[in-house]
Amino acid sequence: MKLSVRTAAAVAALAVATACAPQTSGGSSSGKDEKTGTLRVWLFQEVDNAPKQKVVDAAVAAFKKTHKGTEVTVEYIPVETRAQRVKAAFNDPKSAPDVIEYGNTDTAGYVKDGGLADITKEFNGWSEAKDTDPTARQSVTVDGKIYGAPYFVGVRALYYRTDVLKDLDLEVPKTQDELAETARKIHAARPDLYGLAVGGAYTYGAMPFIWSRGGELAEGKGGSYSSTIDSAQAQKGIKAYTSLFGSANCPAAKCAGMGGNDTVTAFASGKAGMAIGGDFSHAAIEAGKVKGKYAVVPLPGVKPGSVAPAFAGGNNIGVLKSTSHRTLAVDLMKQLASKKTQGALFEAMGFLPTYTDVRQQVATEEPFVEPFVKTLASGAKFVPASPAWAQIDASLVLPTMFQEVISGKKDVAAASKDAAEKMNDAFSSVG
C-alpha cells in the first residue's frame, strides 16, 4: 500500500481468532523470549480513531484472556511522523514497540534496516494464513521470507455517473478504448465536466493502463531490480494514460498536477463524469453531490470483459526483531490480523480484509464492495519489493514522467527512458 491509500481510507472513514505459535524462525535480536510482561504496540491513528480503537481493544482483550500474566499497551501514532518514529525505534530497542502497523510499500525498506523479524515459519504454520490473498502475501514477503501479516488491502475501480451516461445515451465502458471514447463524448456534450478525471500526479491511477498492456515497473528481486518502465509495453500504457489529458477530456493546465484525492474530489463534487477511485473513496463520494447518482465497476482492461490490474495498497502488522517477547508478539500480531479482527475492522472502518473468504463474505453484506473484490480477484499488482521504492516514490519519478509527456516537454520514449535511469540509480543505491 502506498500509505496514501491508508490515509485516504482514514479520511473516508467508511471502515476473523487466537492462533498458537509454532516453532519460531529464529530468535529475537535481544536474545530473549520472555513469556510474560508488557507488550507495546504502535498502530496508525485514523482521522476518526474511535471505531478502530474499539476493534483493537476487543482483539487485545481476547489476546490477554489466553495469555495470562501479559499486559498490552497500544499507542496510536500519526502517519505523517511514522518514518522518524520507526527509524528511532529500530535504533533504540529499549524504547521500541514489540508490534507495529506499517504501510505495505515500507516492507522492503524496514527489512533492509534490520527492523522487522522474519516470521516465515509462524506465518506458514498459521491456519488462517492459507486464505490470505496472494498479492497481500507478497506485500509482506522479501526474497522469499515473510516479515509480517497483511492487515487490510485497498484497490481502485471505475466510478461513473449513472445519470450522465443515461442522459447522453452512453454505455458503461467495457475496454480502455471505450473508456477514452466515452470520456471524450461526455466532455463534448458537457464541457463543464471532465469526461474522466485523471491526474498527472496520480501514479496508482495510471499504473493499470501500463500493467494491462504487459508493462511493469521493474524486474528482478532484492537489490537487483532493474526498471522496465521504458519497455515497449510500458510505453504503450504511458501513451494511453497521457492521451486522456487535453482539451477533449481533462485539460492539462488543470489536470496535470492533480493527484488521486483531487480526481476523487472532482467526481464527488459533480465536476466529472467518471473517475478512478478506491473502495476507501466510497464514504467521501457518498458525502458529495453525486450521492445516489453513481455506480462502480472494475476498471476495464484492453480486451472486452477484462479487468485492468490494480495496485494493491494496504497495511501490514509486523513484529520488531528487537522484541524480548518474540512468541507473545507473534501471537498478538496474529490476533490483530486475524479473520475476526479484519471482519470487525471492515464493519468499523471499511478496510477491505486480506483474506479471500472474509472478503467474499463482506461483499455479500455490502454491495458497494463487489467491484473492488472482483478487481482483487482478477489479479492486483504490487510495487518492487525493494527499499529503493520509498526513494523513487518520494522523488516523484513517475509523476514527473507523466507530466513531462502531458506538457509536451518530452515524448513518451524520452520521458520513460529518463524515469528508468532515475529508478535504476535508486535501485543501485540500495544494492
Side-chain angles (χ1 to χ4, degrees), residues 9-90:
V11 173
L14 313 171
V16 181
T18 302
C20 58
Q23 186 175 353
T24 63
S25 307
S28 155
S29 62
S30 70
K32 300 177 182 178
D33 189 12
E34 300 169 1
K35 301 301 190 289
T36 59
T38 300
L39 294 176
R40 298 181 62 204
V41 181
W42 285 1
L43 301 177
F44 291 136
Q45 184 170 1
E46 313 298 334
V47 173
D48 180 7
N49 203 58
K52 178 178 182 178
Q53 185 172 343
K54 186 176 181 181
V55 172
V56 171
D57 287 349
V60 168
F63 171 81
K64 289 171 64 177
K65 189 174 182 180
T66 57
H67 295 79
K68 303 300 182 184
T70 302
E71 294 296 324
V72 178
T73 61
V74 180
E75 181 180 354
Y76 293 91
I77 66 173
V79 178
E80 296 75 19
T81 59
R82 74 189 185 283
Q84 304 94 299
R85 292 288 301 272
V86 173
K87 183 176 182 179
F90 290 169

Side-chain angles (χ1 to χ4, degrees), residues 102 104-113 116 139 141-142 384-388:
Y102 62 94
N104 62 13
T105 58
D106 290 331
T107 306
Y110 288 176
V111 171
K112 182 177 184 291
D113 290 341
L116 294 176
S139 79
T141 304
V142 178
S386 167

Side-chain angles (χ1 to χ4, degrees), residues 48-412:
D48 180 7
N49 203 58
K52 178 178 182 178
Q53 185 172 343
K54 186 176 181 181
V55 172
V56 171
D57 287 349
V60 168
F63 171 81
K64 289 171 64 177
K65 189 174 182 180
T66 57
H67 295 79
K68 303 300 182 184
T70 302
E71 294 296 324
V72 178
T73 61
V74 180
E75 181 180 354
Y76 293 91
I77 66 173
V79 178
E80 296 75 19
T81 59
R82 74 189 185 283
Q84 304 94 299
R85 292 288 301 272
V86 173
K87 183 176 182 179
F90 290 169
N91 292 329
D92 183 14
K94 290 184 180 179
S95 65
D98 300 275
V99 178
I100 62 169
E101 176 181 358
Y102 62 94
N104 62 13
T105 58
D106 290 331
T107 306
Y110 288 176
V111 171
K112 182 177 184 291
D113 290 341
L116 294 176
D118 172 4
I119 56 134
T120 306
K121 288 185 179 179
E122 292 96 330
F123 189 87
N124 288 337
W126 182 19
S127 62
E128 292 191 349
K130 70 181 188 305
D131 296 319
T132 300
D133 173 296
T135 307
R137 183 182 176 116
Q138 181 187 352
S139 79
V140 293
T141 304
V142 178
D143 291 342
K145 296 179 180 178
I146 297 174
Y147 293 91
Y151 194 35
F152 65 82
V153 68
V155 290
R156 296 165 176 82
L158 180 67
Y159 284 78
Y160 67 92
R161 288 278 296 275
T162 51
D163 57 334
V164 171
L165 264 61
K166 182 179 180 181
D167 290 348
L168 300 180
D169 196 26
L170 297 173
E171 298 290 328
V172 178
K174 294 182 175 60
T175 67
Q176 287 180 14
D177 283 345
E178 289 183 9
L179 177 65
E181 183 181 358
T182 302
R184 291 191 292 268
K185 288 180 178 178
I186 291 173
H187 187 63
R190 302 277 183 88
D192 57 320
L193 297 180
Y194 302 133
L196 171 68
V198 287
Y202 192 6
T203 299
Y204 296 111
M207 288 312 301
F209 292 83
I210 295 173
W211 284 325
S212 61
R213 287 164 176 79
E216 296 288 349
L217 289 164
E219 60 185 6
K221 66 177 183 178
S224 60
Y225 274 100
S226 176
S227 176
T228 55
I229 197 65
D230 58 344
S231 70
Q233 297 95 323
Q235 287 185 12
K236 288 180 181 177
I238 296 167
K239 184 177 181 180
Y241 185 69
T242 55
S243 70
L244 295 167
F245 294 80
S247 59
N249 172 52
C250 203
K254 294 182 178 179
C255 302
M258 294 203 320
N261 287 347
D262 298 319
T263 63
V264 170
T265 298
F267 184 83
S269 61
K271 296 179 181 178
M274 299 181 290
I276 299 168
D279 53 277
F280 42 83
S281 307
H282 177 256
I285 292 173
E286 276 287 288
K289 293 182 178 180
V290 298
K291 179 179 174 63
K293 297 184 288 187
Y294 74 92
V296 186
V297 293
L299 182 68
V302 175
K303 297 179 180 178
S306 66
V307 175
F311 168 68
N315 280 11
N316 301 327
I317 299 284
V319 172
L320 263 66
K321 195 173 182 179
S322 60
T323 182
S324 59
H325 299 89
R326 162 78 186 226
T327 301
L328 288 174
V330 171
D331 275 4
L332 180 55
M333 175 201 73
K334 291 178 179 179
Q335 187 76 54
L336 291 169
S338 68
K339 291 185 176 183
K340 182 177 181 180
T341 302
Q342 288 194 22
L345 271 176
F346 172 78
E347 293 178 5
M349 304 295 295
F351 297 163
L352 274 181
T354 63
Y355 301 97
T356 53
D357 56 338
V358 181
R359 210 153 54 209
Q360 290 294 340
Q361 179 182 339
V362 301
T364 61
E365 297 171 356
E366 293 287 353
F368 83 84
V369 174
E370 194 276 334
F372 303 101
V373 172
K374 185 175 180 180
T375 298
L376 283 165
S378 298
K381 294 273 194 176
F382 195 57
V383 299
S386 167
W389 182 254
Q391 177 183 334
I392 292 167
D393 197 32
S395 56
L396 306 176
V397 172
L398 296 179
T400 298
M401 175 188 71
F402 294 129
Q403 289 163 351
E404 287 174 340
V405 176
I406 294 163
S407 67
K409 183 178 179 181
K410 294 178 183 176
D411 62 18
V412 171

